[in-house]
Amino acid sequence: MASEFQLVSSPEELGLSSRAITEFFSKHGKLGLHSLAVVKGGKAYALSVRPFAVDSPHTLFSLSKSFCSMAAGMAVHEGLLSYEDSVAEVLRDCLPEKYDKRLKEVTLHHLLSMSSGLEEQSDHEIRSSTDWARAALSYKVVHKPGTKFHYNTMGTYLAGRMVSARCGMSLRDYLMPRLFEPLGIKKPQWDCCPLGHNTGGFGLHLGVTDLARTAQLLLDGGVWQGKRLLSEDYLARATRKQVDNKDLNWDDPHVDWMSGYGYQFWMARHGRYRGDGMYGQVMMVDPKSKLAVCCTAGLNLMGDEMDALHDLMDQLVSLPKEKAEGRAALHRLEKRLVFRAPADKGGPLFGEGNYLREDGKSLRVEIPDDNSLRLIFRSPDSQQPLFFSFGRKTAHRGEFPSFAMGERPQAYLGRFGVRDGVITARVVMPQAPYRTEIKLSRVPEGLRLVMDSVGFDSGTFLLKRAGQ
């Protein structure tokens, strides 16, 4: 291991192939990756698709779970907790008046391995509560703990609350001197529940180079620059199968979600393991080849992403290292990686007014001037509209409030153009996976709406004019 973690200018400096990267983006350029880092031997090569940046914080979603797991492992190593501690005992002050006495059998081990046995409903509708722990602990234990896998984000939240209860501080603050500062990671944002506790199973914001440093720590068995940060016992537990997660009832089973689950890490093909989060946030580790890949993304097809990343890891090692010409091709690719503005031929804007969809959702189109556009989406089951502004010559910089309690607002860039009678408006969030491309065209009834999105509606919809 190198004495100091380094960012390098080509995969060849890691003993790997630039050609693997160029072929990956040639084949999977439309997959939806925002940034990618390849990690080996105390070094990382990283690139991003603008406006995303390799060092910019990105919403990790459930990849946050792996960091909550590391905090739990550290607390156990320090003697603050044990894996056999009961959630009912550690969080006894959070127990509702009437609770299932079998909660006393649910341990930190069960929460970390997603085998608590809590009712599946315990992972739903809790974010509307003020006290998430009390709400989660109000559900029954319907399976013997340790016998059945059930992916439960509130279980991770409870594990994080167990750590915080014993260490007397937030997960983020506990990890600062123990993980983030040693790795050179600046103080990150970790979203909080209404009572101010870190959400644990989601809500951590890190850049891909932060993930690369964490992956190098895992590759080196928990040791960073000669200092042990993660215990051998914890890593042995976290990165091996603790519970079987095969579900033959899945409509479209994928091997990477059915290879076993550790402590907030998924087991994967070829002896690899990973932390991952919704819409494509991944930290994949291969202990055999001492190689890791990390990425942030905004995509819907994570199975396709897993297949692509496994192929990339294989080709990084198997393809020949490139000479100067091949490395120059990679540098040219880096400059081309950008979310381009919608095509604009200067055509007039149209369609100002209110419109209704068959499902009851509505759209209001506002045109302040030829270079500005506002779209306001409303749903009958939500009081909060989606409100986006777009610029024509330059992107409008706005802020999207959030989808759910506990998520911080996200900055967005909105840009539009008009071509061949079609308005194309695009939203990109530089620190999150959410995006949407909206195409509006005239039809006799009103407008035709085509949406291609991550996190928002997708599809083709007929909008009928309503009111003024």
Side-chain angles (χ1 to χ4, degrees), residues 344-352 365 367 369-373 392 416-424 440-442 447:
D344 183 37
K345 297 298 184 181
L349 284 167
F350 55 85
E352 188 164 37
V365 179
I367 304 173
D369 55 58
D370 287 343
N371 295 311
S372 304
L373 174 68
R392 189 171 203 162
F416 81 91
V418 183
R419 180 180 182 181
D420 298 331
V422 177
I423 299 171
T424 300
L440 294 171
S441 55
R442 296 185 184 94
L447 291 176

Side-chain angles (χ1 to χ4, degrees), residues 97-262:
E97 183 177 347
K98 294 181 179 180
Y99 68 92
D100 189 337
K101 297 303 186 286
R102 286 174 294 182
L103 279 170
K104 295 179 180 179
E105 302 173 21
V106 178
T107 66
L108 179 63
H109 162 81
H110 297 135
L111 294 173
L112 292 175
S113 59
M114 298 290 186
S115 62
S116 67
L118 282 168
E119 284 182 300
E120 291 189 4
Q121 292 89 337
S122 63
D123 204 27
H124 304 290
E125 300 180 359
I126 287 177
R127 293 195 203 181
S128 61
S129 304
T130 298
D131 190 335
W132 289 6
R134 191 175 300 274
L137 294 171
S138 69
Y139 288 88
K140 293 185 179 299
V141 179
V142 296
H143 302 286
K144 180 177 175 57
T147 63
K148 183 176 176 59
F149 174 82
H150 170 232
Y151 192 80
N152 189 328
T153 294
M154 283 299 112
T156 311
Y157 173 76
L158 291 173
R161 287 291 300 273
M162 290 177 72
V163 175
S164 293
R166 289 292 176 85
C167 74
M169 64 186 78
S170 70
L171 286 175
R172 194 271 310 277
D173 290 349
Y174 181 68
L175 286 175
M176 281 305 302
R178 294 166 175 82
L179 181 72
F180 295 135
E181 288 176 356
L183 295 184
I185 297 175
K186 295 180 180 179
K187 190 175 184 178
Q189 170 74 31
W190 201 329
D191 296 340
C192 296
C193 73
L195 295 182
H197 301 282
N198 291 140
T199 47
F202 64 97
L204 181 60
H205 303 257
L206 295 175
V208 78
T209 52
D210 298 328
L211 296 178
R213 292 169 181 272
T214 308
Q216 185 63 61
L217 173 68
L218 297 172
L219 285 170
D220 287 330
V223 176
W224 182 261
Q225 298 181 7
K227 181 180 179 181
R228 177 161 293 282
L229 303 183
L230 299 171
S231 74
E232 293 177 283
D233 175 67
Y234 162 73
L235 281 176
R237 291 169 177 265
T239 63
R240 74 165 185 262
K241 185 168 78 170
Q242 296 288 346
V243 62
D244 184 25
N245 60 355
K246 288 183 180 178
D247 186 348
L248 300 180
N249 294 320
W250 280 12
D251 294 334
D252 185 22
H254 192 282
V255 64
D256 275 306
W257 278 272
M258 301 179 68
S259 298
Y261 196 81

Side-chain angles (χ1 to χ4, degrees), residues 30-97:
K30 295 183 179 180
L31 186 61
L33 258 62
H34 293 168
S35 65
L36 175 71
V38 178
V39 188
K40 188 176 178 63
K43 301 177 182 179
Y45 166 76
L47 76 169
S48 64
V49 181
R50 296 183 300 281
F52 302 93
V54 298
D55 57 354
S56 178
H58 196 283
T59 304
L60 297 185
F61 291 94
S62 287
L63 181 46
S64 309
K65 290 178 169 67
S66 299
F67 290 84
C68 182
S69 171
M70 286 182 257
M74 290 173 174
V76 170
H77 184 66
E78 292 177 3
L80 301 174
L81 279 170
S82 82
Y83 295 117
E84 302 312 314
D85 279 345
S86 162
V87 65
E89 174 59 27
V90 177
L91 299 183
R92 56 186 176 274
D93 292 341
C94 300
L95 290 171
E97 183 177 347

Side-chain angles (χ1 to χ4, degrees), residues 15-17 20-21 24 28 36-40 215 219 256 268-274 282-295 305-319:
L16 303 172
S17 173
I21 304 288
F24 174 85
H28 304 291
L36 175 71
V38 178
V39 188
K40 188 176 178 63
L219 285 170
D256 275 306
R269 284 170 277 173
H270 314 305
R272 297 163 182 162
Y273 66 89
R274 74 183 188 281
V282 178
M283 178 173 62
M284 182 90 74
V285 179
D286 188 340
K288 292 181 180 178
S289 63
K290 290 290 186 179
L291 170 67
V293 295
C294 307
C295 61
E305 180 191 27
M306 293 302 160
D307 294 340
L309 291 178
H310 280 297
D311 288 345
L312 172 62
M313 294 181 82
D314 292 341
Q315 292 180 349
L316 282 164
V317 176
S318 63
L319 290 178

